Amino acid sequence: MERRAIWAASDLEVRQQDKRPVIAGRFPYNEWAVLSDRGTIRKEEIMPGAFDFTLSNPLAEVNLLFGHSFDKPLASRQSGTLELKDGAKFLEFFATIPEGAERASHVTDALALIGSGLATGISPGFRVPPKDVVPDAEKLVPEPGNEGVMIRQLAKLVLYELSIVTRPAYPTTSAELRSMSCNQLHGSQHKVLLP
């Protein structure tokens, strides 16, 4: 298993859709995460298309978790509650909280922390395939303008989970709690922001 980096989610939010809570967000590509491992600092970047192996297989399970804990699931691909859409700039996800699950304490906590702006990060759980199977899965490239620092570029990964976490690598992203009014459920684009 890989050590996990945390990226700030873009547009991480909680919505009400068809009377169900939905967590929506975007995991950015081509963004640097800074990892610290026993005093060593390194940077890594996930490239567009890195999750193609997993996303192209409809039977490959991916879970949305709270804090990387499989004991704290929020949604899953196989249950039909997690939708993943890949693009050139980000991996977009929509997690519909199943009926009754919103009463679980970890789900209530996750929704409250996203809504309060305390949980704003997304951390993917993935594996890098072995070099003898996928030789170009990762490479080191010098940081532009700082040739002494190497960036680990990840091009081919096996994604198995995304986690909502509290500490993003990029603090400029914010999370909002949003609720859709009755008019919005019928096509209006206005959003009501809640405290």
Side-chain angles (χ1 to χ4, degrees), residues 25-147:
R26 295 175 176 169
F27 174 81
Y29 294 130
N30 295 318
E31 297 279 334
W32 292 346
V34 178
L35 298 99
S36 179
D37 183 23
R38 293 179 232 152
T40 302
I41 304 294
R42 66 181 175 93
K43 297 178 182 180
E44 68 181 32
E45 154 183 42
I46 295 179
M47 308 306 291
F51 301 129
D52 285 352
F53 175 80
T54 303
L55 298 177
S56 65
N57 179 356
L59 300 178
E61 177 66 297
V62 178
N63 297 97
L64 180 66
L65 306 175
F66 186 47
H68 288 294
S69 175
F70 280 94
D71 292 337
K72 296 179 180 177
L74 300 170
S76 76
R77 200 171 176 206
Q78 290 303 306
S79 72
T81 58
L82 180 61
E83 181 182 353
L84 302 170
K85 293 182 179 179
D86 204 22
K89 295 184 179 180
F90 49 78
L91 172 65
E92 192 169 23
F93 65 90
F94 302 92
T96 303
I97 304 301
E99 188 166 348
E102 73 276 3
R103 293 189 303 268
S105 61
H106 72 277
V107 175
T108 302
D109 292 347
L111 296 174
L113 290 171
I114 294 168
S116 69
L118 293 174
T120 59
I122 296 295
S123 181
F126 59 83
R127 288 188 176 87
V128 177
K131 290 185 187 296
D132 59 333
V133 177
V134 183
D136 59 347
E138 65 180 326
K139 66 180 176 179
L140 292 174
V141 297
E143 180 178 345
N146 191 5
E147 305 274 321

Side-chain angles (χ1 to χ4, degrees), residues 9-40:
S10 172
D11 301 326
L12 182 62
E13 63 184 22
V14 176
R15 308 174 185 165
Q16 291 288 355
Q17 189 168 327
D18 298 326
K19 299 183 182 181
R20 305 289 334 126
V22 174
I23 301 171
R26 295 175 176 169
F27 174 81
Y29 294 130
N30 295 318
E31 297 279 334
W32 292 346
V34 178
L35 298 99
S36 179
D37 183 23
R38 293 179 232 152
T40 302

